[in-house]
Structure formats: C-alpha cells, structure tokens
Amino acid sequence: MNSELIVEMLSIRKVYPDGTVALRGVDFEVRKGEIHGLLGENGAGKTTLMKILSGLLPLTEGEIRIQGKPVQLRSTMEGLKAGIGIVHQHFALVPPFTALQNIFLGEEGGGPLSPLKLEEARKKVGSLIEKVGLKVPLDTPVESLPVGVQQRAEILKILYRNAEILILDEPTASLTPLEVDELFQILRALKKEGKTIVFITHKLKEVLEITDRITVLRNGKVTGKLPTKLATPDKLAVMMIGKKVVPGEIKKAKALGQPVLIVKDLVVKNDLDIPIVNGVSFKVRSGEIFGIAGVEGNGQSELVQAITGLRTIEKGEIRINGVEISRKNPVELYRMGLAHIPEDKRKLGLILDFDVAENSILGLHKEPKFSGRVGYLNWKKVYSYAIGLIERFGVITPSIMTNAKSLSGGNQQRLVAARELSKPSSLIVAAHPTRGLDVAATHYIRELLIEMRDVGKAVLLISADLDEVTLLSDRIAVMYEGKFIGLGRPSEFNRRDLGLMMGGVKAV
Amino acid sequence: MSSLTESFSKAVKPITEGVFAIGIGLFVGALLMLVWGFDPLRAYLELFRGAFFGKFQMATTLSYATPYILTGITFAIGQRAGLFNIGGEGQVYMGAIAAVAAGTYALPTSVHLLVTVIFSMLAGAAWALPPAVLKVTRGVHEVVSTVMLNWTCVFLCRYLAMGPLVDPNSAEKTISVLPSSRFPILLSGSELTAAIFASVVFAVVVYIILWHTAIGYEIRAVGLNPDAARYGGISPLRSTILAFMLGGFAAGLAGASQVIGRPPTWAIYGTLANITNLGFDGIAVALIGRNHPLGAIIAAIFFGGLYTGSRYMQMYARVPVEIVRALHGIIILAVAIPGLLDIIKKWWEKRRGK
C-alpha cells in the first residue's frame, strides 16, 4: 500500500468575514492515489475545507502541505499549479461553447493575436479520453449535453490542466443512478492512472462504495477518520450526526384535532423542470408539530413552496382546512389561515429596503384594518401594529422607521417570526426557523412554536437541524431524494436511524 | 421621538445628494468656463438671475418645468417598480397628438379641457401598454420595446403633424387647438399656463399612491424585491402593468401640456421641436429627484431654470449654450454615481481623523 501523504492540511481554521466560524481546527490528510471520502451534513464545513485546498478561499489559520512542502494558495490558478483541481457542484462551463472549447478556455497560451492551437488541444484531450474512458463528444455545445456528460467535461478540463488531485463537490447531487455508476467507473479508472481524488458527499452508500478512506466532519471539526473497510453505515451516521442525547424534556402534544394540512401524492418540479418532490403524502393535525428532517436539497424547499402557493403543483393535491389550494395565491392562503416563516428570511421574508413598519405588514397590507376598503394605508395603525410586534417579540431596532437592512440577522429573523406568528392562522409552515440564530433567540423561537401548537395550531417544521426536529416534533418524517424515507414518532427512531435515513439508507 | 428624527434623516439624505450633485456640476462647469476664458461667477450670476429673479423669468422657468415634472415621474415610477421605462418620449408624442385631436374637436366649453386632458393621458397610457404586456407575458425587456416604440412614434407624429393635422394656413405647425380646450394663461405675455397646476397635482397624487395606498406599497415592494413581494401575496405582473400605466398617464399629460398649455401656438411644430427630448430629459429629472415625485418637482424647476437662464448667460456673459448642456451632463453623471456622497464622506472623515 502506497501511503505517501500527498495533501496535509494542519489545524485549519476558517472564520468568514461576517464572523461565522466554518472550520475549528481541522486536520485532513489524503494519501497519494486514493479516493478519499469527505462526509458531513450541510454546514459541516466540507465545501469550505475544499475551497481552501483549491485556493478559492483564504484560510484564517493553519498550514497546507502538498507532497510534504508547505504551500500558500492564493488563487485557483496557484491551486492548479500545485496540481489541485476542483469540480464544483454547479459547473463552470460556457454553455454555447463545445466541450473542446470549454476545456481549452484559459489555456490558449501565446499573445492576444496568436492563432488558436485547437487541434493540438484536441490531440491531448483525445489521449486523455482514451486513457480514462471519459467519453465526451468534443464538438457539441455543452448546453445540449446531459448533466452527467457536462460533468465529465469538467473533469476533463481539470485533467487537461495536469491536476493530480481532483476534488469533486457533491458530484452525484444532480446525476441519475445510471450516471452515478458511470461516474464511479471513471473515478476507478482515474485512480488506476495514479490520480488522487477527494469525494465530497453526505450520502453514506456512495462513500462506502467508492472510497478508500473517509474523513467525517461535523460542525467544523473532524469527528472521524477511518479506512472504508472498517466503516459501517451505523458508525458513519453517528460520526456525522453526533451522539448527543436530545436535551430537555419535550412537552408533547396533548390533544390532536382535525387534520389542517393534507398532502397527497404530491409531485413538484424544481427550476430545472426535474421532479424533485416525488409522491409525498402526509397530514398535519391541529395541535401537533410535524417535523421534516433531511439533508438540504432533497426536495424540502420545493415542498414548502408548493404548500405556500409559491410553486405550481405537478401532480397530487394539497388541502388546507379541507380546501384544495392548487390555484390559490399566497394572499388567499393567508386568508385561509396559513402563516409562513420562509427558508430565506432575508430574500423572501423581508424587503430589506423597506423599514420595519412596512415589513411588518407584508402580506397583511390589504387587510381592511390597515388599508380600509379603498386601499388607503392608515400609517398610524401600521405604526402601532409594528410597535406592538417589536415589543412583544423583542425585536431590537433603533426605530420602526429603520430599514430592515440595518437590523442584525437575528433581529431580521425575529421580525419575520413576529409577523408570521401574529397572524390569525391555523397552519404554520416554519422552514429552518432558527438557522443562524444565537442560543437565546433559538430557544425563544422554539418556545413560540410549542406555544402555537398548544393553542391548537398545526405546525409544519422543516429543518436541517436534527436536534431541532427531534426536540420539537410530535411526528417526524425524513426526506431523501424527494420522498419520505421514514415517518413516525420521534421515540420510534434513535439518532442512528435518523442519520442513516438522512444518508439514504433505510433503517429497519 | 427617534422615529421622527429617523424619518427626517431619511428624507434629508436624498436631498443632500441631489444638492451635492448639482454642486459638482456647477463646479466642473465653472472649470470648463475658465478653460475657455469665460468668467464663471458672472455667468452663474446671469444664469440664476435669468432663471429665477423676476416675474417673467420665474414664469418661463415654471413653464419649462411643467412637462419635466411629468416625464420625470414617468421614469421615477418605473424605477420604483423595478423597471427601466424609457418609453416616456414616445408616450409624450402620443399625448401631444391626442391633445391636438381632442383640442380641435368642438366640444362644450365646460368639459373641453378636461376631456382633452383625459384623452391625452389615455393615449400616453395606451402607448405604454404594449411594452407592459410584452414584459409580463413574454419577458421582453422594457428598454428594447420602449426604444422601438419611441421611434415608431417619431415617424407617426411627423406624418400626422405634417399630413392630416397640418395647419392649412401655416404649414410649419399643426392646427391650433380651440380656446375652450386650452389651459388658462397665468401671466399674460409669458408662456406659463395652469398646466403647471395639473402637473404638480399629478405629482402629489402619485406621491399619495406610492406611499399611502396598498397599490403603491405593492409597486414599491415589487421594485425592491419581487420574490419577497410574491411571498407577500403581491402579483408582480399587476404591479408592473400599473406602473407602466401610471407612467403613461404622466407622459401623456406632459405631451398635452405642450399643446393645450403652450402659448402662443397651441399646437405641435412640424419639426416636433416643442415635444422632442422631454421624455429623455425626464430621466435626468428623475435621477436628480431621486425617483421621488416631489423630488421631481424640485429637479424639474431646476432644469427649467437652467434652460431659461442659459439664454441670459449667453446674452450677457457670452457663454455659449453648449457649456450649459455640458453642465446638465456633468450634473447627471454626478447623480448617477451611486453612493458618491458616501465615498466622499468617508474620505473626508478619514482625512479629518488623521
């Protein structure tokens, strides 16, 4: 076994300019010629770590050694010079250019007027293709190629630049199962050629199938390093999710009422016109919190958008209080009793250049109490309503005339929660309601959701934070690739099961 | 009352920015004059004297400002709704043509003016409708569609003004509108008519719509963040069309003001001289007025003053009118650089700190 270390990253710390600590002293080593799995949940720091390795992001503290030599990578160019290439989750191809032109782009050499040496490039690319079996039609515009083939073009692109270490960020995220198999064959061929590969994923099955060794990250720290031979889905799930016992006693729902939200065989497409919610059915009753866990990108966002009137329903139906909602717009839904704390509070929940008072009536601006019958806004009433909101929910702002932009992230979120939870509602859809909040604010929002449940509202909670979902929910579903891979009471699952399901392995 | 000071400081910032931009324009303009050997102090004195000091000067300035207020609003509403509506030019033409058509049509005296005004506003809005519909149904960018429609208007108007609507007794203009359709002259011997009141009232109405009604709230929400607006149950399509229509009304009225509010001809010139470029100058007015209808009033009066005063500047300080045009350009540039004031403020604080 060749055990020469080709990459060593020592005590890497990364603090983003906004103060977010992404990596808290990570040691990461890759051996020459191996396929190394980098496993972790969203926000664990996988992508940040690899962006640092490829030169895309500067590190805050720590050291990187390539083949034993300390290096300082200030750009992806320098990363490539050191032999490191990265294929991002979202490709960087020029759509109308052919694969060959894309591969050649940036490697023209010579002066601005020297003729393009495309034919030489074609030869070099051709021999690369032969060596590793990366079949790509070189003369078709990449925009008309399937995603899997575009990805191969990306891989060719970095091979063409003589990368020895290939980093693939969630390479299977947008691939069909067949394409995944093909990708794995290519990766094995590349390994045979002596290339080193870092494979970033949150999918347990894949990491077990393709890698030689695995490093697990959680919350910016390494929680496990092991050869794949010694890994089991259980072990990895615990490393990825943590063993922490759910804190605090959970006041479970007392009396369940009528179903408020009924979702039946729902199919929803994403922006690329690909079905991303694939036949989901569930009910949320009044007086219960229904939690949906799962790694992001498995269809949760689109599910929420369909329920809240922001995305068209492809198949199936959604009923709120018995009424079918496929043709309703958000205002009609609010009037039917929906409150929606959106996933992206800054982009969707607030208009940042509106002041606090204006934001406090977004969606309520047509209510007769604010705009009467003719639509003339009564600012006095709006102001007193806004003052009521910020006092009751503890939103810290210099004044209600301050633009939402100037509030801190936590207070922006409080403002959205304040507005939505103050609506007269029977169904609350809360998407990642505590993301990015400090401990106190998190606790506050969670208490509110429990309070809402206890007064008989139905709460649909979507969160990538497993602790939050298990703590608050009366029932839990785990979403994986557009379907519920598991559904039941929190007591029926332990963390290991949940971790397995989030990674796509059905626990029995 | 921190909310009062807050709203006060919110209002002050755009005003200081506007004033600052004008200051830069005047300063660079002075440098230009020095380079060409003119006396900038003298020139500016004549400029402001000619624009604002004296009954007739002021009246002329206001008569110039009348259409600028409206075309400024056309662009400003678009901006508030997230649109770059440069179709004001064509919509002005349509308003003017409609004013000639309605103003030469014999109607009862009591309603003739009102009918003509409404007809012109509708004509302006009708010309704004195709870009609006194309935008919301097919995603056609409003810059492309409005520019094309502007040119259509130029040739259509030329044809109408020199053909069907030409004055048989004086071929350089269209038929003059009937006295019953005209805005009353406010100061005899000047060009100022009651159209200025229509213009100001329209600006105030737009202000009320934008900041005191649910519809205006929706338009502004869509302009700032269409996704959040949709989340808030607002239809971006509806708000877009509304913004185009309001802008069309304003531009149509601007066109009318150049016919039924413009002595002594009360007509469109065959060269279209009295309606050309009003829509485009409105963009500058909106920029200086910070896309606010009340700001547009002030900016329009300033612009009107520049035009009026430049004649005096030319006559008494012998400064060519081109320098005044350059002045306009520099002021617009100074306004258009976003946050210029912030940058200079920071620089100043840093300097003072050291």
Side-chain angles (χ1 to χ4, degrees):
Chain A
M1 176 107 201
N2 185 354
S3 65
E4 182 199 338
L5 292 179
I6 187 162
V7 173
E8 291 166 271
M9 298 180 81
L10 306 170
S11 323
I12 302 290
R13 267 172 57 79
K14 172 70 191 174
V15 183
Y16 279 103
D18 67 353
T20 315
V21 183
L23 299 172
R24 309 158 192 268
V26 168
D27 291 319
F28 179 72
E29 303 95 28
V30 182
R31 290 179 189 159
K32 191 168 168 37
E34 72 174 351
I35 300 181
H36 193 106
L38 185 56
L39 186 70
E41 282 188 282
N42 303 111
K46 298 166 294 192
T47 302
T48 303
L49 187 67
M50 288 303 106
K51 281 186 177 166
I52 289 172
L53 180 57
S54 64
L56 196 63
L57 281 179
L59 46 74
T60 311
E61 266 171 48
E63 192 182 319
I64 303 176
R65 291 186 196 156
I66 306 294
Q67 291 175 323
K69 272 176 257 160
V71 289
Q72 295 222 325
L73 305 172
R74 278 172 296 252
S75 69
T76 45
M77 286 293 215
E78 295 190 7
L80 272 168
K81 255 185 216 154
I84 301 162
I86 185 164
V87 175
H88 294 285
Q89 203 174 340
H90 304 285
F91 305 145
L93 297 166
V94 183
F97 274 23
T98 66
L100 184 63
Q101 285 166 333
N102 264 296
I103 292 163
F104 190 56
L105 187 68
E107 294 288 302
E108 300 87 353
L113 292 177
S114 41
L116 288 180
K117 293 172 182 157
L118 257 182
E119 287 316 304
E120 276 174 38
R122 185 188 296 279
K123 265 180 217 153
K124 186 173 166 190
V125 174
S127 71
L128 275 174
I129 290 179
E130 235 169 74
K131 250 198 248 170
V132 290
L134 270 164
K135 279 187 214 106
V136 178
L138 287 181
D139 297 310
T140 315
V142 292
E143 61 193 346
S144 53
L145 296 174
V147 178
V149 182
Q150 289 188 18
Q151 187 178 52
R152 282 182 230 159
E154 277 279 15
I155 296 174
L156 268 181
K157 204 166 96 181
I158 56 175
L159 288 175
Y160 185 83
R161 286 156 176 73
N162 303 315
E164 282 303 314
I165 304 158
L166 286 79
I167 303 168
L168 306 175
D169 189 1
E170 299 273 3
T172 60
S174 46
L175 298 187
T176 63
L178 194 72
E179 285 175 325
V180 172
D181 286 344
E182 288 171 358
L183 174 69
F184 284 2
Q185 281 173 23
I186 292 164
L187 294 187
R188 290 194 186 101
L190 285 172
K191 187 179 153 186
K192 227 176 251 167
E193 286 295 312
K195 303 281 181 192
T196 308
I197 295 162
V198 180
F199 185 89
I200 307 179
T201 188
H202 64 263
K203 293 181 182 166
L204 300 177
K205 210 182 100 208
E206 291 175 359
V207 84
L208 286 168
E209 185 183 338
I210 189 73
T211 64
D212 300 307
R213 291 194 318 134
I214 301 169
T215 300
V216 187
L217 283 183
R218 183 172 81 240
N219 201 11
K221 280 184 191 150
V222 175
T223 50
K225 276 186 208 185
L226 68 172
T228 309
K229 274 180 283 182
L230 302 179
T232 62
D234 289 11
K235 261 194 203 170
L236 293 176
V238 170
M239 288 173 181
M240 190 163 96
I241 309 291
K243 250 185 197 164
K244 200 169 52 178
V245 187
V246 176
E249 85 279 32
I250 315 152
K251 299 170 281 176
K252 285 299 167 194
K254 291 169 211 148
L256 290 189
Q258 291 296 313
V260 175
L261 173 69
I262 301 175
V263 175
K264 222 172 132 190
D265 305 322
L266 184 69
V267 177
V268 181
K269 286 183 173 176
N270 66 5
D271 292 337
L272 302 171
D273 219 27
I274 298 162
I276 183 133
V277 177
N278 279 316
V280 165
S281 301
F282 63 98
K283 285 178 190 169
V284 187
R285 292 171 182 278
S286 85
E288 87 167 331
I289 297 180
F290 186 91
I292 298 181
V295 175
E296 271 171 78
N298 278 295
Q300 299 98 314
S301 305
E302 288 80 2
L303 173 65
V304 167
Q305 288 162 1
I307 294 171
T308 54
L310 295 171
R311 189 172 281 276
T312 44
I313 296 165
E314 208 61 36
K315 264 186 224 155
E317 63 171 24
I318 302 174
R319 285 174 185 277
I320 295 179
N321 291 320
V323 182
E324 219 275 318
I325 64 153
S326 62
R327 299 204 170 276
K328 306 273 183 201
N329 67 41
V331 156
E332 291 169 309
L333 294 176
Y334 297 145
R335 293 204 167 132
M336 289 166 58
L338 170 75
H340 174 201
I341 299 178
E343 178 177 343
D344 192 333
K345 280 99 199 149
R346 286 169 59 86
K347 267 198 203 140
L348 211 55
L350 292 173
I351 294 174
L352 292 176
D353 287 308
F354 267 11
D355 61 30
V356 170
E358 286 172 316
N359 271 300
S360 71
I361 58 162
L362 182 62
L364 298 168
H365 58 278
K366 277 187 180 158
E367 293 298 310
K369 78 173 155 176
F370 295 127
S371 57
R373 276 199 205 145
V374 287
Y376 188 82
L377 283 173
N378 186 334
W379 283 115
K380 258 191 192 158
K381 281 190 184 159
V382 174
Y383 291 154
S384 67
Y385 182 76
I387 289 170
L389 280 190
I390 62 174
E391 279 174 1
R392 203 144 39 85
F393 288 81
V395 181
I396 297 166
T397 169
S399 106
I400 53 167
M401 311 286 275
T402 306
N403 281 355
K405 191 162 59 178
S406 323
L407 268 56
S408 73
N411 279 303
Q412 289 175 345
Q413 219 154 322
R414 269 183 194 236
L415 179 59
V416 175
R419 182 186 66 216
E420 295 305 313
L421 299 181
S422 301
K423 283 180 183 169
S425 59
S426 54
L427 171 67
I428 294 165
V429 176
H432 310 284
T434 62
R435 175 186 289 163
L437 291 187
D438 57 28
V439 179
T442 300
H443 184 70
Y444 179 74
I445 299 263
R446 287 178 183 170
E447 289 279 299
L448 274 176
L449 289 175
I450 303 253
E451 196 186 307
M452 293 288 144
R453 178 197 68 188
D454 289 346
V455 298
K457 299 187 180 188
V459 180
L460 177 64
L461 169 72
I462 290 89
S463 179
D465 179 350
L466 197 53
D467 290 334
E468 179 164 278
V469 179
T470 43
L471 179 71
L472 297 178
S473 307
D474 301 302
R475 286 192 297 146
I476 292 184
V478 180
M479 203 159 174
Y480 181 79
E481 294 191 338
K483 289 190 172 127
F484 284 169
I485 189 167
L487 196 163
R489 304 192 163 279
S491 53
E492 292 168 26
F493 305 118
N494 56 32
R495 294 187 66 81
R496 191 193 63 119
D497 296 339
L498 291 171
L500 284 172
M501 288 191 286
M502 284 171 73
V505 180
K506 177 116 180 148
V508 183
Chain B
M1 274 315 287
S2 67
S3 75
L4 242 178
T5 50
E6 181 89 13
S7 66
F8 179 72
S9 70
K10 248 187 185 178
V12 162
K13 196 182 174 227
I15 294 173
T16 45
E17 278 174 343
V19 170
F20 182 74
I22 290 169
I24 289 189
L26 294 180
F27 176 72
V28 179
L31 290 184
L32 273 181
M33 283 189 256
L34 279 176
V35 169
W36 265 268
F38 301 107
D39 175 5
L41 276 181
R42 172 89 201 281
Y44 283 141
L45 201 71
E46 295 299 341
L47 179 76
F48 285 103
R49 212 164 58 103
F52 301 112
F53 296 106
K55 253 192 333 193
F56 281 95
Q57 285 84 342
M58 198 64 212
T60 311
T61 294
L62 289 179
S63 76
Y64 273 119
T66 304
Y68 287 144
I69 294 173
L70 294 162
T71 52
I73 286 175
T74 302
F75 187 74
I77 294 177
Q79 287 275 286
R80 290 284 171 187
L83 302 167
F84 203 87
N85 176 11
I86 52 175
E89 185 75 10
Q91 292 152 25
V92 167
Y93 287 25
M94 293 319 282
I97 286 286
V100 172
T104 50
Y105 193 82
L107 282 171
T109 312
S110 54
V111 295
H112 199 177
L113 174 60
L114 188 66
V115 168
T116 309
V117 164
I118 292 174
F119 190 60
S120 301
M121 286 169 68
L122 287 175
W127 210 249
L129 195 59
V133 170
L134 284 172
K135 168 101 182 169
V136 299
T137 57
R138 311 294 314 162
V140 176
H141 199 284
E142 66 275 12
V143 166
V144 177
S145 54
T146 52
V147 164
M148 293 201 295
L149 282 175
N150 282 346
W151 281 106
T152 317
C153 268
V154 170
F155 293 109
L156 181 65
C157 273
R158 257 185 219 164
Y159 163 71
L160 289 175
M162 300 308 289
L165 292 175
V166 74
D167 186 343
N169 302 320
S170 146
E172 84 285 357
K173 66 179 190 62
T174 65
I175 319 166
S176 295
V177 293
L178 298 170
S180 59
S181 70
R182 296 175 189 170
F183 279 108
I185 295 176
L186 292 182
L187 179 67
S188 64
S190 81
E191 294 176 352
L192 183 63
T193 67
I196 183 77
F197 295 132
S199 199
V200 170
V201 166
F202 192 93
V204 173
V205 168
V206 167
Y207 163 73
I208 290 172
I209 290 176
L210 282 180
W211 275 276
H212 290 279
T213 70
I215 294 171
Y217 178 92
E218 296 197 340
I219 290 177
R220 289 186 297 126
V222 168
L224 290 171
N225 184 345
D227 291 329
R230 227 160 70 80
Y231 156 86
I234 297 163
S235 156
L237 307 187
R238 210 179 76 125
S239 290
T240 301
I241 290 189
L242 259 169
F244 265 115
M245 292 299 95
L246 277 173
F249 287 147
L253 183 56
S257 76
Q258 294 309 97
V259 177
I260 57 175
R262 198 69 194 215
T265 45
W266 310 99
I268 305 174
Y269 291 114
T271 55
L272 309 183
N274 58 334
I275 55 173
T276 300
N277 274 343
L278 293 175
F280 293 129
D281 287 343
I283 297 173
V285 169
L287 275 173
I288 294 182
R290 288 277 148 177
N291 294 324
H292 193 292
L294 304 184
I297 296 179
I298 298 166
I301 292 174
F302 173 75
F303 255 66
L306 279 187
Y307 278 109
T308 317
S310 60
R311 291 190 218 159
Y312 282 74
M313 204 164 110
Q314 207 176 356
M315 227 180 316
Y316 298 109
R318 304 266 164 218
V319 176
V321 71
E322 281 71 20
I323 295 274
V324 180
R325 298 244 172 84
L327 217 67
H328 292 182
I330 294 158
I331 292 169
I332 292 163
L333 271 179
V335 179
I337 302 169
L340 183 67
L341 190 61
D342 290 335
I343 294 167
I344 293 185
K345 218 200 257 165
K346 255 185 216 156
W347 173 79
W348 181 248
E349 275 163 12
K350 215 169 151 189
R351 237 185 74 131
R352 258 204 326 201
K354 270 178 189 172

